[in-house]
Amino acid sequence: MAPRLIEKPHAIIAQIPCLSDNYGWLIHDRENGTTAAIDTPDADAINQVLEAQGWDLTLILNTHWHMDHTGGNLALKDKWGCTIIGPAAEGEKLPGLDRPVQEADQIALGAISAVVIETPGHTLGHCVYYFADCAAAFVGDSLFSLGCGRVFEGTHEQMWHSLLRLRALPDETEIYCAHEYSLGNGRFALSIDPDNRTLQKRMADIEALRADDLPTIPTKLAIEKAANPFLRADDGILQKTLSMKGQSAETVFAHIRQSKDRF
Ligand code: ZN
Ligand code: FE
């Protein structure tokens, strides 16, 4: 897969395949040229795109401390002198952190800005950067297409509430997650929710894209709300399919997440 550019009214987003299944992301403000990297899975791959586009890296926005999200921080800072922003709760674990942020903090690029949404669960400090002007949410390892991140540090209850925060964004929001996991996620989702038409359709699209070695990301929130079982733990229809009707969303979510861990 080669890097590709996604054009937005005020910005250009670059999607950069990295490592085995990560995506690095750049968002470049057309007005003043500010460029931010969301996570740094591979400094060399990110540098190649920056150089090809003639962009200078201004900011790094880390979603969480895992190495496949921060491994390129120091090399990129060394080369570009960029400012590294990341969750205050993971301060000591983020290489080169300059500006710790928390819930509702704003990050201005040029004409566009991001707001920080705290989404603990995968890690305790995990956060999402939501660019309302571009209808784009950079969600790291919280939400994936047809899946969600593993619950490593937080509780299932925390993760469910983090996903509810993302589910409350506008339907047209594009979800820029950090991994190409859609095919495996879809196989699991169909195993527990085989009659879901939106899921069947999304999975057919994913299979066609992957057969052509094309990315399935970004995905649209509206599709995920209908097709992703991890966003539907409180949905009566899915609960009925799982024989869990009337149980709490937290319990249903934990059941789905643990089933996926064993799948
Ligand atoms: Zn991670
Ligand atoms: Fe990751």
PDB file of all heavy atoms in Angstrom, residues 22 64 66 68-69 122 141 178-179 181, ligand 2:
ATOM      1  N   ASN A  22      -0.100  -0.641  10.835  1.00  0.00           N
ATOM      2  CA  ASN A  22      -0.415   0.696  11.368  1.00  0.00           C
ATOM      3  C   ASN A  22      -0.650   1.700  10.250  1.00  0.00           C
ATOM      4  O   ASN A  22      -0.144   1.536   9.133  1.00  0.00           O
ATOM      5  CB  ASN A  22       0.748   1.241  12.201  1.00  0.00           C
ATOM      6  CG  ASN A  22       0.803   0.670  13.606  1.00  0.00           C
ATOM      7  OD1 ASN A  22       1.257  -0.462  13.782  1.00  0.00           O
ATOM      8  ND2 ASN A  22       0.372   1.443  14.575  1.00  0.00           N
ATOM      9  N   HIS A  64      -1.591   7.771  22.589  1.00  0.00           N
ATOM     10  CA  HIS A  64      -1.243   6.993  23.790  1.00  0.00           C
ATOM     11  C   HIS A  64       0.199   6.525  23.659  1.00  0.00           C
ATOM     12  O   HIS A  64       0.830   6.704  22.624  1.00  0.00           O
ATOM     13  CB  HIS A  64      -2.216   5.830  24.018  1.00  0.00           C
ATOM     14  CG  HIS A  64      -2.205   4.757  22.966  1.00  0.00           C
ATOM     15  ND1 HIS A  64      -2.560   4.981  21.653  1.00  0.00           N
ATOM     16  CD2 HIS A  64      -1.870   3.430  23.036  1.00  0.00           C
ATOM     17  CE1 HIS A  64      -2.469   3.846  20.965  1.00  0.00           C
ATOM     18  NE2 HIS A  64      -2.038   2.904  21.781  1.00  0.00           N
ATOM     19  N   HIS A  66       1.882   3.618  23.591  1.00  0.00           N
ATOM     20  CA  HIS A  66       2.416   2.392  22.974  1.00  0.00           C
ATOM     21  C   HIS A  66       3.440   2.729  21.885  1.00  0.00           C
ATOM     22  O   HIS A  66       3.281   3.692  21.141  1.00  0.00           O
ATOM     23  CB  HIS A  66       1.278   1.537  22.399  1.00  0.00           C
ATOM     24  CG  HIS A  66       0.472   0.846  23.460  1.00  0.00           C
ATOM     25  ND1 HIS A  66      -0.781   0.332  23.228  1.00  0.00           N
ATOM     26  CD2 HIS A  66       0.758   0.583  24.770  1.00  0.00           C
ATOM     27  CE1 HIS A  66      -1.238  -0.218  24.350  1.00  0.00           C
ATOM     28  NE2 HIS A  66      -0.326  -0.071  25.299  1.00  0.00           N
ATOM     29  N   ASP A  68       4.156   1.572  18.998  1.00  0.00           N
ATOM     30  CA  ASP A  68       3.767   1.717  17.596  1.00  0.00           C
ATOM     31  C   ASP A  68       3.023   3.041  17.353  1.00  0.00           C
ATOM     32  O   ASP A  68       2.568   3.298  16.233  1.00  0.00           O
ATOM     33  CB  ASP A  68       2.930   0.509  17.124  1.00  0.00           C
ATOM     34  CG  ASP A  68       1.640   0.328  17.881  1.00  0.00           C
ATOM     35  OD1 ASP A  68       1.656   0.370  19.125  1.00  0.00           O
ATOM     36  OD2 ASP A  68       0.590   0.143  17.231  1.00  0.00           O
ATOM     37  N   HIS A  69       2.945   3.882  18.389  1.00  0.00           N
ATOM     38  CA  HIS A  69       2.326   5.212  18.254  1.00  0.00           C
ATOM     39  C   HIS A  69       3.296   6.341  18.602  1.00  0.00           C
ATOM     40  O   HIS A  69       3.022   7.495  18.307  1.00  0.00           O
ATOM     41  CB  HIS A  69       1.062   5.303  19.133  1.00  0.00           C
ATOM     42  CG  HIS A  69       0.038   4.283  18.746  1.00  0.00           C
ATOM     43  ND1 HIS A  69      -1.079   4.591  18.019  1.00  0.00           N
ATOM     44  CD2 HIS A  69       0.010   2.936  18.929  1.00  0.00           C
ATOM     45  CE1 HIS A  69      -1.767   3.478  17.789  1.00  0.00           C
ATOM     46  NE2 HIS A  69      -1.121   2.465  18.318  1.00  0.00           N
ATOM     47  N   HIS A 122      -8.109   1.344  26.505  1.00  0.00           N
ATOM     48  CA  HIS A 122      -6.965   0.650  25.882  1.00  0.00           C
ATOM     49  C   HIS A 122      -5.710   0.942  26.724  1.00  0.00           C
ATOM     50  O   HIS A 122      -4.987   0.024  27.120  1.00  0.00           O
ATOM     51  CB  HIS A 122      -6.820   1.151  24.456  1.00  0.00           C
ATOM     52  CG  HIS A 122      -5.678   0.565  23.689  1.00  0.00           C
ATOM     53  ND1 HIS A 122      -5.636  -0.748  23.300  1.00  0.00           N
ATOM     54  CD2 HIS A 122      -4.534   1.135  23.222  1.00  0.00           C
ATOM     55  CE1 HIS A 122      -4.499  -0.975  22.637  1.00  0.00           C
ATOM     56  NE2 HIS A 122      -3.822   0.152  22.580  1.00  0.00           N
ATOM     57  N   ASP A 141      -6.105   3.855  19.041  1.00  0.00           N
ATOM     58  CA  ASP A 141      -6.516   2.457  19.249  1.00  0.00           C
ATOM     59  C   ASP A 141      -7.773   2.365  20.119  1.00  0.00           C
ATOM     60  O   ASP A 141      -7.950   1.399  20.870  1.00  0.00           O
ATOM     61  CB  ASP A 141      -5.386   1.658  19.932  1.00  0.00           C
ATOM     62  CG  ASP A 141      -4.216   1.367  19.010  1.00  0.00           C
ATOM     63  OD1 ASP A 141      -4.281   1.706  17.814  1.00  0.00           O
ATOM     64  OD2 ASP A 141      -3.222   0.797  19.498  1.00  0.00           O
ATOM     65  N   ALA A 178      -5.822   3.817  13.928  1.00  0.00           N
ATOM     66  CA  ALA A 178      -4.384   3.629  13.772  1.00  0.00           C
ATOM     67  C   ALA A 178      -3.988   2.272  13.198  1.00  0.00           C
ATOM     68  O   ALA A 178      -2.802   2.012  13.012  1.00  0.00           O
ATOM     69  CB  ALA A 178      -3.692   3.853  15.114  1.00  0.00           C
ATOM     70  N   HIS A 179      -4.964   1.414  12.953  1.00  0.00           N
ATOM     71  CA  HIS A 179      -4.617   0.083  12.423  1.00  0.00           C
ATOM     72  C   HIS A 179      -5.589  -0.356  11.339  1.00  0.00           C
ATOM     73  O   HIS A 179      -6.771  -0.023  11.380  1.00  0.00           O
ATOM     74  CB  HIS A 179      -4.643  -0.977  13.534  1.00  0.00           C
ATOM     75  CG  HIS A 179      -3.555  -0.830  14.543  1.00  0.00           C
ATOM     76  ND1 HIS A 179      -2.313  -1.398  14.389  1.00  0.00           N
ATOM     77  CD2 HIS A 179      -3.519  -0.165  15.720  1.00  0.00           C
ATOM     78  CE1 HIS A 179      -1.549  -1.101  15.437  1.00  0.00           C
ATOM     79  NE2 HIS A 179      -2.263  -0.346  16.266  1.00  0.00           N
ATOM     80  N   TYR A 181      -7.356  -3.194  10.762  1.00  0.00           N
ATOM     81  CA  TYR A 181      -7.820  -4.427  11.397  1.00  0.00           C
ATOM     82  C   TYR A 181      -9.209  -4.819  10.895  1.00  0.00           C
ATOM     83  O   TYR A 181      -9.838  -5.733  11.451  1.00  0.00           O
ATOM     84  CB  TYR A 181      -7.948  -4.227  12.921  1.00  0.00           C
ATOM     85  CG  TYR A 181      -6.668  -4.171  13.717  1.00  0.00           C
ATOM     86  CD1 TYR A 181      -6.681  -3.621  15.002  1.00  0.00           C
ATOM     87  CD2 TYR A 181      -5.465  -4.690  13.233  1.00  0.00           C
ATOM     88  CE1 TYR A 181      -5.532  -3.576  15.781  1.00  0.00           C
ATOM     89  CE2 TYR A 181      -4.304  -4.634  14.008  1.00  0.00           C
ATOM     90  CZ  TYR A 181      -4.342  -4.083  15.280  1.00  0.00           C
ATOM     91  OH  TYR A 181      -3.218  -4.034  16.058  1.00  0.00           O
TER      92      TYR A 181
HETATM   93 FE    FE B   2      -1.536   0.408  18.219  1.00  0.00          FE
END
